[in-house]
């Protein structure tokens, strides 16, 4: 009897209910903009939401990647690299920008100290030449007497 009703089209199969993802997508977009993430919407602790270890790992990887890239490009030598690697490990740089600034500062300082060293060397050389000249002049004067 039911088969006849089905064949006649009086009983039809309902289509499978499809759960639309539209609302989910819309909410995700809003969350990306920073909506729906206030104190009232938070369930876990700060640590449970994003662990400090994960943040540390991300930061270390970013800083170390930058240092490796700069060393490979010969922008920094192995001594500066080692110094900054250990300082990054010691939590001295909170992000990439701060590390870059520190590197530029260190490089400028190195150039400045090198210039000063060269100037000192030149000054010493000049003084030595003058001393030799004076000694030669004295020797010549003694020889004439």
């Amino acid at each position: 009897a039911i088969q006849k009703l089905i064949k006649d089209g009086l009983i039809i199969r309902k289509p499978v209910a499809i759960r639309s993802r539209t609302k989910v997508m819309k909410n995700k977009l809003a969350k990306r903009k920073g909506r729906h993430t206030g104190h009232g919407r938070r369930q876990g602790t700060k640590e449970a939401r994003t662990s400090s270890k994960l943040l540390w790992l991300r930061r270390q990887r970013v800083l170390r990647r930058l240092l490796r890239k700069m060393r490979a490009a010969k922008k920094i030598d192995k001594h500066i690299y080692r110094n900054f690697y250990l300082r990054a490990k010691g939590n001295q740089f909170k992000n990439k920008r701060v590390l870059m600034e520190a590197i530029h500062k260190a490089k400028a300082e190195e150039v400045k100290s090198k210039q000063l060293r060269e100037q000192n060397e030149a000054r010493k050389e000049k003084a030595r030449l003058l001393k030799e000249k004076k000694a030669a002049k004295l020797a010549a004067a003694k020889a004439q007497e």
Side-chain angles (χ1 to χ4, degrees), residues 120-132:
N120 267 345
E121 289 297 320
R123 201 178 293 121
K124 282 180 182 175
E125 185 65 24
K126 194 175 174 185
R128 192 180 58 77
L129 286 171
L130 267 170
K131 203 174 184 181
E132 283 175 7

Side-chain angles (χ1 to χ4, degrees), residues 5 24 60 72 74 85-86 104 119 137 144:
L5 290 173
V24 176
Q60 286 305 303
K74 300 273 189 280
Y85 187 96
L86 291 173
H104 290 314
Q119 283 174 1
K137 211 175 186 183
Q144 279 183 351

Side-chain angles (χ1 to χ4, degrees), residues 1-14:
I2 291 174
Q3 289 299 324
K4 188 176 184 307
L5 290 173
I6 291 171
K7 204 194 308 179
D8 292 344
L10 292 171
I11 296 176
I12 54 169
R13 181 188 289 254
K14 270 181 89 175

Side-chain angles (χ1 to χ4, degrees), residues 14-142:
K14 270 181 89 175
V16 178
I18 298 167
R19 290 190 189 88
S20 173
R21 299 272 309 157
T22 310
K23 286 177 187 171
V24 176
M25 299 295 200
K26 191 179 166 195
N27 202 24
K28 200 172 184 182
L29 274 170
K31 271 193 173 173
R32 205 174 288 163
K33 287 181 178 176
R35 317 289 192 266
H36 320 294
T37 53
H39 289 297
R41 283 298 186 109
R42 296 179 198 171
Q43 285 277 300
T45 61
K46 188 179 179 183
E47 189 69 15
R49 289 165 68 87
T50 46
S51 77
S52 57
K53 183 176 183 178
L54 187 74
L55 292 173
W56 168 261
L57 277 174
R58 280 184 196 154
R59 191 167 82 214
Q60 286 305 303
R61 284 172 183 168
V62 166
L63 299 180
R64 287 173 180 178
R65 196 179 309 127
L66 174 74
L67 286 169
R68 275 197 304 273
K69 203 182 282 183
M70 288 185 88
R71 183 182 59 179
K74 300 273 189 280
K75 288 183 180 176
I76 56 174
D77 63 349
K78 62 183 182 180
H79 304 293
I80 291 179
Y81 171 83
R82 177 55 36 199
N83 179 19
F84 278 92
Y85 187 96
L86 291 173
R87 283 171 64 187
K89 185 184 177 183
N91 197 21
Q92 287 201 2
F93 311 110
K94 73 173 186 177
N95 56 36
K96 197 172 165 180
R97 182 180 52 81
V98 173
L99 176 63
M100 285 286 284
E101 285 171 5
I103 289 171
H104 290 314
K105 197 173 179 183
K107 280 171 72 178
E109 188 67 40
E110 198 174 281
V111 168
K112 194 176 177 183
S113 67
K114 191 179 177 188
Q115 270 183 339
L116 285 171
R117 217 176 304 122
E118 285 171 358
Q119 283 174 1
N120 267 345
E121 289 297 320
R123 201 178 293 121
K124 282 180 182 175
E125 185 65 24
K126 194 175 174 185
R128 192 180 58 77
L129 286 171
L130 267 170
K131 203 174 184 181
E132 283 175 7
K133 202 174 175 184
K134 252 183 195 173
K137 211 175 186 183
L138 277 170
K142 277 188 179 179

